Amino acid sequence: MWATLNPDGHRRVVVTRDLPGELWKSVLVDAGCRIDVWRSPARPAPDDIAAAIGDRCDAVIGQLTESWDSERLRLLSAAGARVYSNYAVGFDNVDIEAATKHGIAVTNTPGVLTRTTAELAVGLTLAAARRIVEADAVVRAGRFDGWEPDLMLGTQLYGKTLGIVGAGRIGTAYALSMVRGFGMNLIYHGPRRKVRIEELVAADAALERSDGRREPWCRYVPELDDLLAESDVLSLHPPLTSSTFHLLNACRLDAMKRDAILVNVSRGPVIDEEALVAHCRANLSFRAALDVFEDEPALKPGLADLPNVVLAPHIGSASTWTRESMSIIAARNVVGVLEGYPLLDSEDIESMLAPDAPEATPSVLNPAALAGR
């Protein structure tokens, strides 16, 4: 179950799942770390992780499928740990306030997931709009009898309006891909206006105008309900918080266009999944494409039976480069905190992927935990 690398290391790091790539191991070993890594197809149980931490542990690299609550963080602190490194960009599985109280820095892996996750969102959008999964099933079942004028009619995206909830790194990368690649117009909603994204769309529009083509436009929408009513495609990219739990409920689904497309690559609980099942069942022209689920990995009853829903098993960051990069960033976060390196003072996260990376900590979510340690 647990395998040990560099057993003579003077620091001890528990890694709750074996990670892709090799450089992350070298990063830890070069910093004098003994690595105890879980190597089994099944996930470790909470008791397995607690036993591995034991009474001496300097750091843990853990997974978003694990709940790092106050009690588990207390045990980690009691073992002398200074850092919990989350192998993910999201961190809703970690009690940040409790970690800070116990003096444990919490880190994540931002930046390296952006493009890959945005690409999957593009793929899901196309799959839903052009009914690719339904069409695949028709061919595989031997029900394709030849070309027909009305066979598997879908939605053309050109000139349609794309609504984004959460114009952070991933939401922005996805939005620009859809504007530039498919000529969509963009509206976005979030806590504040993002002038930069509007400037980028305006620059694209100027290029289109110079070629005599239709110009895409971009607009900030302060009210979510207004965005829902206007969107032909709605893509969700907010963090999961108490205010975004069931952000898309039955009432808000009903406010959307009857033939809209809903895409979610953020977190499952931002959608009331039971309400989505009922909505998709009652409106077959409405389509959804989901990479995440409310009770992951379980699905709400009926979701898998709907022909107008595309399902993917949380593979937003599942490219080889991205997952290996996440491993390296997670390891460099551990070393950075243990060595007392300063926080990376730029957004050039990819500089931390090189073997000779700068002596910096890529990401700390609660810098206050570093005080006095």
Side-chain angles (χ1 to χ4, degrees), residues 111-299:
V112 294
L113 294 82
T114 301
R115 176 53 56 186
T116 301
T117 306
E119 287 177 357
L120 182 76
V122 171
L124 288 173
T125 305
L126 292 173
R130 297 304 301 273
R131 303 172 65 183
I132 293 172
V133 175
E134 291 179 76
D136 179 88
V138 166
V139 176
R140 291 178 187 275
R143 292 186 283 116
F144 175 47
D145 297 325
W147 186 89
E148 293 288 347
D150 60 351
L151 179 64
M152 304 301 298
L153 298 182
T155 300
Q156 179 172 293
L157 298 174
Y158 181 79
K160 295 293 197 301
T161 298
L162 169 65
I164 297 290
V165 178
R169 290 177 178 175
I170 295 171
T172 297
Y174 164 75
L176 292 175
S177 295
M178 301 305 295
V179 170
R180 292 166 175 168
F182 302 95
M184 299 192 76
N185 302 309
L186 175 62
I187 55 178
Y188 68 97
H189 169 80
R192 64 191 66 85
R193 182 183 174 193
K194 299 285 186 76
V195 175
R196 179 59 176 161
I197 193 172
E198 296 177 22
E199 292 174 342
L200 290 170
V201 173
D204 291 336
L207 291 174
E208 298 291 302
R209 182 168 59 251
S210 67
D211 289 341
R213 293 178 290 189
R214 192 193 70 82
E215 302 171 35
W217 48 262
C218 176
R219 189 176 77 251
Y220 174 60
V221 180
E223 298 298 328
L224 177 58
D225 289 346
D226 293 338
L227 182 111
L228 298 179
E230 194 173 346
S231 298
D232 296 301
V233 176
L234 177 70
S235 190
L236 304 178
H237 301 273
L240 178 60
T241 65
S242 58
S243 63
T244 62
F245 178 80
H246 282 188
L247 182 72
L248 212 61
N249 53 26
C251 183
R252 284 181 168 149
L253 285 165
D254 196 52
M256 295 178 66
K257 294 182 178 181
R258 286 292 175 263
D259 59 352
I261 296 168
L262 170 64
V263 179
N264 187 18
V265 296
S266 60
R267 286 291 185 264
V270 302
I271 298 176
D272 181 340
E273 207 166 284
E274 288 186 356
L276 178 63
V277 171
H279 188 78
C280 289
R281 187 177 286 147
N283 301 278
L284 292 179
S285 59
F286 184 96
R287 299 183 196 125
L290 311 175
D291 185 46
V292 288
F293 307 99
E294 185 171 352
D295 300 322
E296 196 168 305
L299 306 180

Side-chain angles (χ1 to χ4, degrees), residues 302-359:
L303 187 64
D305 302 325
L306 293 166
N308 50 338
V309 177
V310 178
L311 306 173
H314 204 148
I315 56 172
S317 64
S319 71
T320 301
W321 181 87
T322 295
R323 291 288 173 86
E324 291 185 357
S325 298
M326 290 168 62
S327 303
I328 298 167
I329 297 301
R332 292 215 184 276
N333 278 328
V334 167
V335 173
V337 173
L338 295 182
E339 294 285 2
Y341 293 157
L343 283 171
L344 187 67
D345 61 0
S346 74
E347 292 193 1
D348 183 19
I349 196 78
E350 291 188 24
S351 67
M352 302 302 296
L353 303 179
D356 58 347
E359 292 185 345

